[in-house]
């Protein structure tokens, strides 16, 4: 087989001269690789995870039911929930021979608390925990990524209440906290409650506030020529105004998902009524794979890099390229040296404490000895005083006895003379 390099290959050679390029003259089966990939993908199935963030009763469940044209499990939330928590449900969806493991995560109690400082932190911590679970699986010695159920959030549908004026402070803070963790697609919920003129003005106000706050929302990719035009139209509709419904209304000769009002019918899939069809097409039909790949290559990669950096693992240290094993060895040696230094410091501190304790004990012993000496001295002084008193008392007793005997003798003499 001769080396028949094409002119376009010169650039490849200049980038990596060790790679030689050949054009095969006969088929050997390489062109069947896409079919193998497709067959494996169909066999393994796909995973897609959606996070729905929005205030209570803003239409999250209805929109999801409309997106997948089915009735998913949902529990209505009340406004008296004391804190924000997340509800997670996983479903196996089948369309022809394609299987999709769909995970829906919905917020409950979001925006209902008086103090909303921690509302967005719960959501951010949940997204990080899914990244951490995937990273833990990656770092296992015996890992099984192919059979691992990937729970990383691929898209966040952020529901904005149709106030018609501007975003709430909670919305801005939450999206700013999440924009580097997940692909955010802002949507205006229950868009049939405001007029078209108010809706266009509301959309522009939202975009202006997001740009001013530096919030980065997901933009549908336009680098693929086959999808560029459709995705550009979808980007121009952001934030998309949607209407969801679980009811079927007869319009003409067919039943459609719609909302029935006294003044008319709002059809969910009618592009003249809302942007629901454009959202579903852009989200599921055209860009689901891009959302999955963006989550892995951008958001998860950033989380992974930060976590490994925190663990002391780096590709380049002091200008020297380091493998993971070399970095781990270096980190292990650093930790060993740090532990040895810490151990030496603890030993020195322990010895110093022992010395200080010995000094304290000696001082205490001296004080006790002095106190004992004083007690002995006081005891001796008191004993000497008592002995002196005892001696004086003995002298007085002896003197008394002497006087007593002398008195008795005088008495006896006087009695003898009288006789």
């Amino acid at each position: 087989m001769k080396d028949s390099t094409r002119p376009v290959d010169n650039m490849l050679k200049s980038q990596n001269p060790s790679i030689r390029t050949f054009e095969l003259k006969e088929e050997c089966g390489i062109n069947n690789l896409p079919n193998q990939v497709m067959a494996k993908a169909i066999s393994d199935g796909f995973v897609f995870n959606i996070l729905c963030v929005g205030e209570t009763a803003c239409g999250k469940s209805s929109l999801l039911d409309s997106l997948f044209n089915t009735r998913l499990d949902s529990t209505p939330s009340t406004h008296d929930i004391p804190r924000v928590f997340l509800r997670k449900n996983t479903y196996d969806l089948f369309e022809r021979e394609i299987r999709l493991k769909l995970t829906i995560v919905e917020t409950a109690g979001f925006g209902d608390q008086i103090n909303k400082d921690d509302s967005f932190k719960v959501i951010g911590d949940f997204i990080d925990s899914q990244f951490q679970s995937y990273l833990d699986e990656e770092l296992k010695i015996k890992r099984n990524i192919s059979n691992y159920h990937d729970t990383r959030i691929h898209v966040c549908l952020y529901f904005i209440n149709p106030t018609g004026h501007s975003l709430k402070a909670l919305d801005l803070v939450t999206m700013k906290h999440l924009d580097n963790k997940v692909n955010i697609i802002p949507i205006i919920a229950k868009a049939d409650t405001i007029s078209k003129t108010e809706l266009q003005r509301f959309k522009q106000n939202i975009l202006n506030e997001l740009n001013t706050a530096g919030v980065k929302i997901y933009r549908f990719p336009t680098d693929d020529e086959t999808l560029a035009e459709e995705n550009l139209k979808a980007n121009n509709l952001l934030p998309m105004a949607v209407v969801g419904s679980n009811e079927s209304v007869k319009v003409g000769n067919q039943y459609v998902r719609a909302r029935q009002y006294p003044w008319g019918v709002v059809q969910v899939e009618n592009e003249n009524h809302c942007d629901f069809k454009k959202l579903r097409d852009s989200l599921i039909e055209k860009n689901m794979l891009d959302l999955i790949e963006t989550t892995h290559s951008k958001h998860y990669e950033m989380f992974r890099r930060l976590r490994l950096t925190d663990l002391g693992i780096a590709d380049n240290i002091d200008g020297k390229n380091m493998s993971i094993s070399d970095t781990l060895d270096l980190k292990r040696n650093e930790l060993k040296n740090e532990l040895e230094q810490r151990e030496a410091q603890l030993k020195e501190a322990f010895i110093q404490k022992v010395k200080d304790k010995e000094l304290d004990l000696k001082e205490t012993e001296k004080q006790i000895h002095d106190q004992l000496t004083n007690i002995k001295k006081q005891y001796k002084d008191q004993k000497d005083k008592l002995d002196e008193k005892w001696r004086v008392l003995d002298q007085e007793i002896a003197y008394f006895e002497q006087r007593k005997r002398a008195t008795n003798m005088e008495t006896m003499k006087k009695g003898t003379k009288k006789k």
Side-chain angles (χ1 to χ4, degrees):
M1 195 179 301
K2 296 182 180 180
D3 184 356
S4 56
T5 56
R6 295 168 294 178
V8 71
D9 298 329
N10 293 332
M11 180 175 67
L12 295 175
K13 283 188 174 184
S14 62
Q15 293 176 351
N16 194 337
S18 64
I19 297 178
R20 301 178 63 189
T21 305
F22 294 90
E23 184 176 350
L24 302 178
K25 293 183 179 180
E26 297 181 2
E27 292 187 3
C28 65
I30 295 177
N31 58 355
N32 196 47
L33 278 174
N35 297 331
Q36 297 178 35
V37 172
M38 185 174 67
K40 186 177 186 304
I42 292 175
S43 175
D44 295 342
F46 299 89
V47 175
F48 193 58
N49 306 317
I50 301 176
L51 170 65
C52 296
V53 180
E55 297 183 9
T56 304
C58 67
K60 298 187 291 295
S61 300
S62 299
L63 179 67
L64 290 170
D65 291 345
S66 302
L67 276 176
F68 296 97
N69 198 24
T70 187
R71 197 64 178 262
L72 303 175
D73 298 333
S74 61
T75 303
S77 299
T78 60
H79 291 277
D80 56 355
I81 298 177
R83 61 179 181 83
V84 177
F85 67 94
L86 301 174
R87 291 173 175 163
K88 180 179 177 181
N89 292 301
T90 301
Y91 312 92
D92 276 330
L93 305 183
F94 292 89
E95 187 175 76
R96 297 176 185 175
E97 70 236 19
I98 305 300
R99 178 173 62 89
L100 176 68
K101 187 179 288 293
L102 174 69
T103 299
I104 304 294
V105 182
E106 295 185 61
T107 58
F110 182 77
D112 292 335
Q113 294 75 33
I114 297 177
N115 184 0
K116 302 178 177 63
D117 292 343
D118 296 332
S119 298
F120 59 91
K121 294 180 182 178
V122 175
I123 305 172
D125 292 343
F126 174 80
I127 296 174
D128 288 341
S129 67
Q130 309 314 303
F131 284 153
Q132 185 63 52
S133 297
Y134 191 87
L135 179 60
D136 292 341
E137 183 66 25
E138 271 193 333
L139 296 178
K140 286 181 179 178
I141 295 177
K142 186 178 180 180
R143 58 183 182 175
N144 191 11
I145 296 295
S146 59
N147 294 327
Y148 175 76
H149 179 203
D150 187 3
T151 58
R152 294 173 297 176
I153 300 299
H154 298 127
V155 63
C156 170
L157 299 180
Y158 195 94
F159 288 73
I160 301 171
N161 281 335
T163 61
H165 301 289
S166 60
L167 288 172
K168 296 180 180 179
L170 178 62
D171 295 330
L172 283 174
V173 172
T174 303
M175 282 191 276
K176 183 62 179 176
H177 182 69
L178 300 179
D179 65 353
N180 63 342
K181 301 176 183 292
V182 67
N183 303 310
I184 298 177
I185 299 179
I187 57 179
I188 300 173
K190 298 183 177 180
D192 54 333
T193 59
I194 55 178
S195 66
K196 287 189 175 181
T197 304
E198 291 175 327
L199 183 60
Q200 293 303 319
R201 190 186 311 116
F202 188 36
K203 283 188 175 185
Q204 191 59 48
N205 290 341
I206 291 173
L207 290 177
N208 292 338
E209 291 182 353
L210 292 177
N211 291 332
T212 302
V215 177
K216 299 176 182 178
I217 61 175
Y218 175 78
R219 296 284 181 175
F220 300 106
T222 57
D223 50 354
D224 187 348
E225 294 181 357
T226 59
L227 299 176
E229 184 178 354
E230 290 297 323
N231 283 345
L232 183 60
K233 291 180 181 178
N235 288 333
N236 291 333
L237 291 175
L238 292 174
M240 293 187 179
V242 297
V243 176
S245 175
N246 292 323
E247 299 178 359
S248 294
V249 178
K250 188 174 183 181
V251 178
N253 295 325
Q254 60 182 353
Y255 284 90
V256 296
R257 282 181 177 266
R259 301 187 72 86
Q260 180 78 53
Y261 293 99
W263 45 262
V265 176
V266 176
Q267 300 179 37
V268 171
E269 298 188 22
N270 190 329
E271 295 189 35
N272 293 323
H273 293 179
C274 67
D275 301 328
F276 170 81
K277 188 174 185 302
K278 181 64 69 176
L279 173 65
R280 186 178 63 186
D281 293 345
S282 301
L283 179 67
I284 300 174
E285 183 179 347
K286 296 181 174 65
N287 299 293
M288 181 184 290
L289 185 60
D290 182 75
L291 288 164
I292 295 173
E293 291 178 347
T294 302
T295 298
H296 181 79
S297 61
K298 180 182 177 182
H299 300 297
Y300 170 71
E301 188 63 28
M302 181 182 297
F303 173 86
R304 177 179 176 275
R305 184 165 61 249
L306 292 175
R307 289 292 296 126
L308 293 181
T309 302
D310 292 340
L311 294 174
I313 300 176
D315 297 329
N316 188 294
I317 299 177
D318 297 332
K320 180 182 178 182
N321 291 330
M322 303 285 289
S323 65
I324 293 181
S325 60
D326 293 338
T327 306
L328 290 175
D329 289 339
L330 181 61
K331 186 65 178 177
R332 187 182 298 109
N333 292 332
E334 289 179 355
L335 291 175
K336 183 179 179 181
N337 294 333
E338 184 179 347
L339 288 174
E340 289 176 351
Q341 293 178 1
R342 182 62 177 164
E343 184 180 3
Q345 292 174 358
L346 290 174
K347 285 183 178 179
E348 185 178 352
F350 178 75
I351 293 173
Q352 185 62 40
K353 285 185 178 180
V354 171
K355 290 181 178 179
D356 294 340
K357 194 66 176 178
E358 287 178 349
L359 291 176
D360 292 341
L361 291 174
K362 288 181 179 180
E363 182 65 25
T364 304
E365 184 181 3
K366 182 177 179 300
Q367 293 177 358
I368 294 174
H369 184 269
D370 293 341
Q371 291 177 359
L372 183 59
T373 303
N374 292 332
I375 292 173
K376 287 181 177 180
K377 185 176 181 301
Q378 292 176 3
Y379 172 75
K380 185 177 180 302
D381 293 341
Q382 291 179 1
K383 185 175 180 301
D384 292 341
K385 290 180 179 179
L386 291 174
D387 289 343
E388 179 63 25
K389 289 182 178 180
W390 189 262
R391 187 183 63 79
V392 173
L393 181 60
D394 286 342
Q395 290 179 355
E396 290 179 352
I397 292 173
Y399 178 73
F400 175 77
E401 290 294 336
Q402 184 180 4
R403 291 285 306 272
K404 182 179 178 182
R405 286 194 298 270
T407 303
N408 290 336
M409 288 179 66
E410 290 178 0
T411 304
M412 290 175 64
K413 286 179 181 182
K414 289 180 179 180
T416 303
K417 288 178 179 182
K418 288 180 179 180
K419 289 180 179 181

